[in-house]
Amino acid sequence: MSLAEEIILLTLDEKSGKFIQVPEYAFRYALSGATLMDLAFKGRIDTDTDSLFIINNSPTGDDVLDMVFQLIKEEKENKNCRYWIEYLGRESQNIQMMTLERLCDAGILKQEEKLVFWVFKSRRYPTIDGYPEKEVKQRIMALLFSDEIPDPRDIAIVAMADTCRIFETMFSRQEYEKIKNKILEIGKLELISQNLSKVVREIEFQLAQASTIGPM
């Protein structure tokens, strides 16, 4: 299962089939970061403090990752990780829809649409096979409330979920306070995660500044 798939399962409410309320911009960047991390795990790209670069040109066989990988390969100038997180954030709707379709094709989710006030369509993705969703949630919860050493994929998931503010929704305020420092420490273990966190925090700062200044 891809990181984008696991992030989507974390943000879906199992009973209602609707997405939990998380900042839209954070979710977009989390999906873009997830695809970059999956490309890194598959040995297609690598990063350092200054750049993101290709180390293997061959396709992955994953339609979502190969779509993103093609965009990276078409770029003539060397760009850094932050650039690609922001750039792919604008492609996040495609990433999300392709990932949801794949989860539906795999029989994990199903798509339902209902009319709201006879005008707008409300789309839901109730779970058919609840095991994958429960597995990722239980795995991450067990990690956060133990001294277990995380593997690279779980480091990525924790960083993505923290960026989306998922943990603040999953846990009570008291529970979140207990694990907050561990979440921060785990997020420091991965370079793409650090870049992602910086991008989202800077956007939040800009939004806070704009709301303080108000309209001119």
Side-chain angles (χ1 to χ4, degrees):
M1 186 169 287
S2 71
L3 292 176
E5 287 173 321
E6 293 201 311
I7 285 296
I8 283 176
L9 290 178
L10 276 175
T11 56
L12 275 175
D13 180 85
E14 184 181 352
K15 293 182 179 179
S16 70
K18 295 182 178 181
F19 289 99
I20 61 176
Q21 294 298 309
V22 297
E24 186 269 339
Y25 60 86
F27 183 65
R28 285 193 288 109
Y29 290 127
L31 284 181
S32 66
T35 57
L36 291 175
M37 289 182 189
D38 267 330
L39 285 170
F41 289 148
K42 289 182 177 293
R44 298 311 192 271
I45 63 171
D46 202 352
T47 61
D48 57 28
T49 54
D50 299 315
S51 62
L52 181 149
F53 46 91
I54 295 170
I55 56 177
N56 183 341
N57 268 304
S58 61
T60 66
D62 180 301
D63 56 348
V64 178
L65 294 183
D66 285 338
M67 176 191 72
V68 171
F69 196 29
Q70 186 61 35
L71 293 173
I72 296 173
K73 289 192 284 188
E74 289 173 357
E75 177 56 54
K76 294 180 175 60
E77 297 181 11
N78 194 23
K79 303 293 186 180
N80 62 22
C81 185
R82 175 180 177 142
Y83 169 86
W84 284 112
I85 288 171
E86 294 184 286
Y87 181 88
L88 295 172
R90 297 191 287 273
E91 296 291 327
S92 63
Q93 188 171 13
N94 287 336
I95 295 171
Q96 181 181 357
M97 293 311 299
M98 290 172 72
T99 304
L100 282 167
E101 286 174 9
R102 191 158 64 188
L103 287 167
C104 290
D105 290 342
I108 296 171
L109 302 178
K110 63 179 178 178
Q111 180 178 317
E112 293 180 355
E113 291 187 352
K114 292 184 178 180
L115 285 174
V116 180
F117 304 125
W118 307 102
V119 179
F120 302 106
K121 283 188 175 179
S122 173
R123 185 170 292 173
R124 300 169 62 252
Y125 292 90
T127 303
I128 299 175
D129 178 1
Y131 176 76
E133 181 178 2
K134 290 176 181 177
E135 191 277 333
V136 64
K137 289 181 178 179
Q138 291 171 358
R139 190 179 81 238
I140 298 305
M141 288 177 69
L143 169 64
L144 294 176
F145 287 97
S146 72
D147 295 325
E148 182 182 344
I149 299 173
D151 65 24
R153 282 187 60 83
D154 284 346
I155 290 171
I157 287 292
V158 169
M160 299 296 98
D162 185 44
T163 297
C164 287
R165 305 285 195 252
I166 292 173
F167 294 134
E168 296 173 31
T169 303
M170 286 177 62
F171 302 116
S172 68
R173 181 174 296 180
Q174 288 182 331
E175 288 174 328
Y176 181 73
E177 286 299 317
K178 289 180 181 178
I179 60 175
K180 183 168 63 175
N181 288 337
K182 183 165 187 178
I183 291 170
L184 293 174
E185 289 302 315
I186 290 174
K188 293 176 183 177
L189 299 175
E190 216 288 325
L191 187 59
I192 295 178
S193 302
Q194 292 177 41
N195 278 276
L196 176 65
S197 179
K198 286 178 183 178
V199 169
V200 172
R201 300 300 175 256
E202 287 175 11
I203 289 171
E204 290 175 339
F205 177 76
Q206 291 166 5
L207 290 173
Q209 288 290 96
S211 64
T212 301
I213 295 172
M216 298 297 290

